[in-house]
Every structure is written in C-alpha cells, then in structure tokens.
Amino acid sequence: MGHLDHATFGWLTPALSYAMACVGAALGLRCTVRALDATGRSRRNWLLTAASAIGTGIWTMHFVAMLGFGVTGTDIRFDVPLTILSLVVAMAVVGVGVFAVGYGRDRVRSLLVGGLTTGVGVASMHYLGMAALRLHGDVRFDPLLVGVSVLIAVVAATAALWAALNIHSPAAVAVASLVMGAAVSSMHYTGMFAVRVDVAPSGASLPGATVMQFIFPLAVGLGSYLFITSAFVALSPTAKERAAYASAGRLTEPDDRAVDVAPPGFRAAQTARTPAN
C-alpha cells in the first residue's frame, strides 16, 4: 500500500482550504439572510447567489486541499469531466437545500430537508472528486470513515442553514462561518483518511490533467469569484437600509399634492395689508 501524504506543502494547503471554506460559508449565509428579508425575484436571486457561493466555496476548499495530496510510488492526474461534474453537483444540490429553507413554510421540516440534501450534496461532491483521481494503483475506502464523513457533512450543512435562519448580525455570521469552515474541512479530511491506495508501479502515462494544469487555475478563478461576490454583497444595501433610504427621501421631497386650506379671500386680504416697499 502506498504512503499517503495529505500535506505535501505543509500547513499551507490545509490553512488555505479552510480559509476558502470559511469565505464560501460566510458569503452563503449572508446571501441567505438577505434572501429571507426579500420577496419575489430578489429572493430567488439571493438564494441562487447563496447556492453558488456555498457550492463554490466547498469545491474550492476540496481541491485546494487536494493540491497537497500525494501518494508515494505514483503520479496523480484528475479526470476533467468528472471534476467539473463535481462542481456542478455541489452547486445544484446545495441550491436545492438553500431553496428548501428559503421557500419552506414549516421551518423545522425545511431545515431538516435542506440540511440532509445539502450534506449529501457536499459528500457527493467530495467523492465525485475522488472518483476523478487517476493514479497507478487501486483506490479503496474505509466504509466506517466514509459514513462518518457523510454524517459530518449533514450535521455541518444543517447547522449552517440553522444559522442562516436564526443569526442575522454580521459578527454572529462571521463566527458561524468559522465553525462551518471547520466542519467542512473536518468532513474533507475524514474522507481523505478513509482512502487506501494499493500502488501498482508503472511507466505508462496517466490520463487526465495534473493538479497544476487544471485544478489550480480553476480554484484560483473560483476563489476570485468568491472574493468579488463578497465585496458586492458587503456593499449592497440590505432591505431595511433601502427602506430607510426611501423613507428619508419621502420626508425631504416637497409634496405637490399639498392642499391650500386657507378660507376664501384670506390670501388676498393678507396681500392687501402687506405694505409696499
């Protein structure tokens, strides 16, 4: 069995992957909070942004962590279509969970359905990403650790959605994002510790792309998307702020519909009594 190294670059990749998980969680939570305060098309758009943020953050966390994954005795490649499919699955299934919470009338049931769906989606993304792995040998998984990783994903997703429903202050969202990032990272590394590789040394070339050819540029691009979207959300006024601005505008604007209630002849009499300069 080949020796697996989960941090070939030291603490750089685990720390960076954790940061990406936190950014995605924070952005997703803020967008979900905005969605719950909105209606109609605005709510839908905020929920779509939340799903893309959480899905992108989790996917980026996974593959940034995979930058530090190595197996002695074999090179590693990634199947490009499967890797992209894992990203699509992450955003789509997380979207189902987020919309269940955003539009559900029964909050408890919506939370349970959304948490289960989102957690299974996160786990599916992880193991689809692992299925995209190409190396000289056979990859096996410890069933017990796989089950634990899925359970962590479901609990983490449920906790994140609960936070979106119940936590609204920016400071509380920041704390919840740090916890969510830790939970997602724990799920990832639990799943990685479940991996067993039986190396079969070979001189044949492996199909797929290297991590630097494909994963790194895509991760950087998605990471940039997260940071740009974070800036947009931070600068975008909330529903309460927009209402306050509109109210302030109405108070300062002259009212053309004002009615003159002075008795007939009052204005003319006042004018006549006014001495000329």
Side-chain angles (χ1 to χ4, degrees):
M1 186 171 71
H3 172 70
L4 277 61
D5 189 348
H6 299 285
T8 57
F9 297 106
W11 285 101
L12 176 62
T13 50
L16 186 57
S17 64
Y18 172 69
M20 298 309 300
C22 291
V23 170
L27 182 55
L29 290 178
R30 289 302 298 162
C31 290
T32 305
V33 169
R34 295 288 187 90
L36 295 175
D37 289 336
T39 57
R41 184 179 300 177
S42 180
R43 172 172 288 198
R44 181 203 64 190
N45 292 341
W46 279 118
L47 290 174
L48 287 173
T49 306
S52 66
I54 296 174
T56 299
I58 292 171
W59 187 94
T60 306
M61 178 280 304
H62 171 82
F63 281 102
V64 166
M66 291 300 291
L67 291 173
F69 178 68
V71 182
T72 57
T74 178
D75 293 329
I76 293 177
R77 299 288 187 275
F78 291 89
D79 181 275
V80 174
L82 267 181
T83 302
I84 295 176
L85 178 61
S86 68
L87 172 61
V88 173
V89 166
M91 290 191 291
V93 184
V94 169
V96 172
V98 169
F99 270 80
V101 169
Y103 286 100
R105 296 185 178 181
D106 186 332
R107 284 203 166 188
V108 174
R109 184 171 62 183
S110 299
L111 181 62
L112 294 176
V113 171
L116 178 62
T117 304
T118 304
V120 171
V122 171
S124 300
M125 178 280 303
H126 175 86
Y127 289 105
L128 268 175
M130 293 304 297
L133 203 63
R134 298 290 180 264
L135 48 75
H136 294 302
D138 297 321
V139 179
R140 298 178 290 107
F141 295 91
D142 183 318
L144 178 60
L145 287 177
V146 169
V148 172
S149 70
V150 175
L151 179 62
I152 293 174
V154 172
V155 172
T158 305
L161 294 176
W162 177 89
L165 289 172
N166 296 280
I167 295 177
H168 298 282
S169 71
V173 168
V175 173
S177 302
L178 295 176
V179 175
M180 178 63 179
V184 171
S185 297
S186 298
M187 177 269 161
H188 170 82
Y189 284 105
T190 301
M192 292 307 297
F193 287 132
V195 176
R196 306 287 185 269
V197 178
D198 296 320
V199 176
S202 172
S205 61
L206 289 166
T210 66
V211 70
M212 289 299 178
Q213 288 174 336
F214 173 64
I215 302 300
F216 182 71
L218 189 56
V220 170
L222 293 175
S224 300
Y225 161 77
L226 285 177
F227 284 106
I228 292 172
T229 309
S230 297
F232 167 77
V233 173
L235 296 174
S236 176
T238 64
K240 292 181 180 179
E241 290 171 341
R242 287 196 299 270
Y245 296 154
S247 177
R250 286 195 297 269
L251 290 175
T252 56
E253 289 177 359
D255 193 346
D256 295 334
R257 296 170 300 175
V259 178
D260 188 353
V261 295
F266 179 79
R267 297 293 182 192
Q270 288 290 98
T271 303
R273 287 197 298 268
T274 301
N277 292 329

